[in-house]
Amino acid sequence: MTVLRKNLIDGEWLGEAGSRNINPSNTNDVVGEYASAGPEEAKQAIAAAKAAFPAWSRSGPLARHAVLKKTSDEIMARKDEIGRSLAREEGKTLAEGVGETIRAAQLFDFFAGETLRLSGEMVPSVRPGVGVEMTREGVGVVGLITPWNFPIAIPAWKIAPALAYGNTIVFKPAELVPESAWTIVDILHRAGLPKGVLNLVMGKGSVVGQAMLDSPDINAISFTGSVGTGKRVAAASVEHMRKFQLEMGGKNPLVVLDDADLGTAVDCAVNGAYFSTGQRCTASSRLIVTDGIHDRFVDAVKERLDKLVIGDALDAKTQIGPVVDQTQLKQDEDYIAIGRQEGAELAFGGDRLERGTPGFYLQPALFVGSTNAMRISREEIFGPVANVIRVKDYDEALSVANDTPFGLTSGICTTSLKHATHFKRNSEAGMVMVNLPTAGVDFHVPFGGRKGSSYGPREQGRYAMEFYTTVKTAYTFAG
Ligand SMILES: NC(=O)C1=CN([C@@H]2O[C@H](COP(=O)(O)OP(=O)(O)OC[C@H]3O[C@@H](n4cnc5c(N)ncnc54)[C@H](OP(=O)(O)O)[C@@H]3O)[C@@H](O)[C@H]2O)C=CC1
Ligand SMILES: O=C(O)CCC(=O)C(=O)O
């Protein structure tokens, strides 16, 4: 029997059954039933967050620290159970689900610490006898709109700093993955958050998300998802003169040079392009490889792909789980067809796979003979699909790597200090990796990109303060 998970509005669990959550590894498995908020519930949640802001923004660091630390501790204590449920609803593997859950616990722990490190500055004014204080305050009601591909880590890296810096929240998770979102809110609620400080509105983006965008009472919106929706968030936010932060797509390059260690390069490519079923905005979807290592690299990647275990996310042996749903699967297959039509050669995979259960299984696909002008090189596919672009040398590799509308992550595999150093300086990406996969980042340092990938201040680490606070400059004449 499935339990109905409700929305949390002004400290009360409310709502009737509206949507069902389906396991992408086995579409006969219903993970749960969830309330679906509409515009009215969104309005109530925003009003509750607005009413709760004055008291929460003045609560001391200890009150905030207590809630965040308790939340971190409970998530960590329940990591296997929550990680399994995450794998069941999103389709990433058990190891990835548990790893992401641990990351969420670490994020809450980090921002619990931040509550005790809040600081300001005091300087003498240019006018004698006057003092100037610079402090940071919470922005107000923040709207958090999250995607399906990191069902617990992305909510955690938005909710934890929002609370730590004294904001109140209206949180809208992706409809595909409500269980992880509900779990994190339930833990925070029981950890002692005052009513109205955190409100959960599960429901359709086009309905409840749009109601958030249209509200004059949301002071800031942090969004992660597609470029199209990101642009809507931006336009609506400008209309309401509110702060906004966007984390969108990527078309991340992994450069492999002739002098790379082949094993390292293959590890980076396979992990970066295909783990989490390629459903990461940080995925290495363009593999830019110099002439001298190209054939050995392609053969070794194909060999590794052939050995990968693709199957039910809840089977501990699985290394690549299913695609998240039918819509994403169709997008992946459409791009595989587009790549072939464009003249790239499908060197491995790309077929639907049958497993013991009805699920969205797709064999990882590797294209060779592609150019950077092809659509498969320019548009985010968001699945287990990557293409190799052959180049003659480092200079051409760098130029191809930077020739993209996106700029989230980039990577280089090389044993040359000169090339690694030059690439770190000249790559037009927000995050650059040397001899590491482009995906899989630390929780305590800034996350974000350039160009069409991101907009606004960075997320995570101490840099998160920039978005979730506003600066006040106060002058005092003491006589
Ligand atoms: N950068 C990243 O990390 C991600 C990138 N993507 C990219 O986006 C593509 C499509 O994925 P998709 O899930 O449709 O992405 P969306 O941008 O539609 O979804 C992201 C979030 O925005 C919400 N949303 C949708 N429409 C609106 C709206 N009008 N107003 C406010 N909020 C809204 C969604 O709600 P709901 O889903 O509940 O309707 C979800 O919570 C993927 O194939 C991939 O290329 C997707 C996810 C993450
Ligand atoms: O690669 C990571 O660790 C994070 C990726 C991410 O945030 C995303 O895909 O949305």
Side-chain angles (χ1 to χ4, degrees):
M1 202 187 77
T2 54
V3 182
L4 171 64
R5 305 293 203 196
K6 299 185 176 183
N7 284 312
L8 183 68
I9 300 177
D10 205 14
E12 303 287 334
W13 295 106
L14 302 170
E16 306 298 325
S19 74
R20 290 184 344 152
N21 183 357
I22 305 295
N23 175 353
S25 300
N26 177 2
T27 54
N28 293 328
D29 176 29
V30 178
V31 179
E33 281 196 288
Y34 301 83
S36 212
E40 203 39 52
E41 286 83 0
K43 270 191 197 146
Q44 288 166 14
I46 296 164
K50 191 175 177 184
F53 178 68
W56 181 250
S57 63
R58 286 187 206 112
S59 62
L62 271 189
R64 297 181 208 166
H65 180 271
V67 170
L68 296 176
K69 185 75 181 84
K70 222 168 155 183
T71 299
S72 168
D73 290 348
E74 180 169 341
I75 294 173
M76 197 58 117
R78 293 173 54 196
K79 66 180 179 358
D80 293 324
E81 168 220 333
I82 297 173
R84 184 180 170 81
S85 149
L86 194 165
R88 187 175 162 208
E89 73 171 345
E90 201 267 356
K92 59 181 66 178
T93 63
L94 275 177
E96 289 166 341
V98 174
E100 185 182 332
T101 305
I102 293 171
R103 197 198 299 202
Q106 289 164 330
L107 283 154
F108 278 102
D109 190 43
F110 178 87
F111 284 105
E114 284 300 282
T115 63
L116 303 174
R117 285 189 286 269
L118 288 171
S119 61
E121 280 182 82
M122 211 166 186
V123 296
S125 162
V126 292
R127 287 167 279 173
V130 174
V132 186
E133 293 159 39
M134 287 157 278
T135 52
R136 285 182 179 268
E137 297 177 356
V139 176
V141 177
V142 299
L144 307 180
I145 302 179
T146 58
W148 47 261
N149 64 328
F150 278 81
I152 198 163
I154 294 180
W157 78 52
K158 294 185 194 294
I159 293 173
L163 293 176
Y165 299 123
N167 301 278
T168 56
I169 298 172
V170 179
F171 167 37
K172 196 224 102 53
E175 228 200 353
L176 275 179
V177 291
E179 182 63 25
S180 304
W182 185 89
T183 302
I184 205 171
V185 170
D186 173 54
I187 294 172
L188 279 155
H189 178 58
R190 286 187 290 96
L193 271 184
K195 73 182 181 106
V197 171
L198 172 62
N199 302 274
L200 172 70
V201 281
M202 298 176 287
K204 287 198 187 321
S206 55
V207 178
V208 72
Q210 191 62 45
M212 290 165 68
L213 303 193
D214 295 340
S215 170
D217 289 327
I218 292 197
N219 306 104
I221 292 192
S222 179
F223 167 83
T224 304
S226 65
V227 174
T229 309
K231 286 183 176 166
R232 295 177 85 106
V233 174
S237 297
V238 169
E239 179 69 23
H240 291 288
M241 299 296 275
R242 72 161 80 93
K243 222 171 167 178
F244 62 100
Q245 174 184 57
L246 311 174
E247 209 54 73
M248 302 171 290
K251 201 67 208 172
N252 311 294
L254 177 72
V255 169
V256 178
L257 297 185
D258 286 356
D259 65 14
D261 175 75
L262 185 64
T264 303
V266 173
D267 284 349
C268 290
V270 172
N271 175 324
Y274 301 106
F275 283 14
S276 299
T277 324
Q279 297 172 154
R280 295 187 282 192
C281 54
T282 47
S284 325
S285 43
R286 292 184 299 144
L287 306 172
I288 301 167
V289 186
T290 49
D291 260 341
I293 195 170
H294 178 278
D295 294 355
R296 281 182 293 138
F297 172 79
V298 169
D299 287 347
V301 170
K302 279 164 55 180
E303 201 178 308
R304 186 73 65 81
L305 292 181
D306 203 32
K307 292 197 185 113
L308 285 178
V309 181
I310 297 135
D312 189 321
L314 299 182
D315 181 336
K317 291 191 290 302
T318 294
Q319 290 170 295
I320 308 270
V323 172
V324 73
D325 72 351
Q326 181 58 46
T327 307
Q328 185 61 51
L329 180 64
K330 180 171 182 317
Q331 178 165 310
D332 299 346
E333 290 187 308
D334 285 351
Y335 272 107
I336 291 169
I338 289 167
R340 287 176 134 156
Q341 283 154 20
E342 288 179 309
E345 181 197 334
L346 189 58
F348 187 90
D351 292 324
R352 286 289 304 271
L353 294 173
E354 295 296 327
R355 290 294 180 258
T357 50
F360 307 112
Y361 299 108
L362 180 66
Q363 201 177 23
L366 179 73
F367 279 106
V368 297
S370 61
T371 70
N372 201 42
M374 291 177 176
R375 282 182 65 194
I376 54 166
S377 295
R378 306 209 76 78
E379 298 168 19
E380 186 174 53
I381 301 173
F382 221 62
V385 184
N387 57 294
V388 177
I389 303 170
R390 188 176 195 136
V391 290
K392 64 175 184 310
D393 56 17
Y394 169 74
D395 290 338
E396 188 185 353
L398 176 65
S399 151
V400 169
N402 284 339
D403 177 10
T404 168
F406 295 106
L408 190 57
T409 57
S410 68
I412 188 165
C413 292
T414 179
T415 48
S416 151
L417 182 59
K418 181 178 147 207
H419 286 139
T421 307
H422 190 272
F423 189 78
K424 279 191 280 181
R425 287 212 191 108
N426 294 285
S427 170
E428 295 168 6
M431 295 171 283
V432 185
M433 318 290 179
V434 176
N435 295 322
L436 287 168
T438 59
V441 298
D442 284 5
F443 64 88
H444 67 306
V445 292
F447 178 93
R450 297 183 184 177
K451 300 197 263 185
S453 288
S454 307
Y455 186 91
R458 291 285 187 263
E459 300 202 75
Q460 302 190 66
R462 298 210 73 195
Y463 284 69
M465 184 193 299
E466 212 46 59
F467 180 72
Y468 290 102
T469 63
T470 179
V471 173
K472 181 171 278 171
T473 312
Y475 295 78
T476 308
F477 178 53

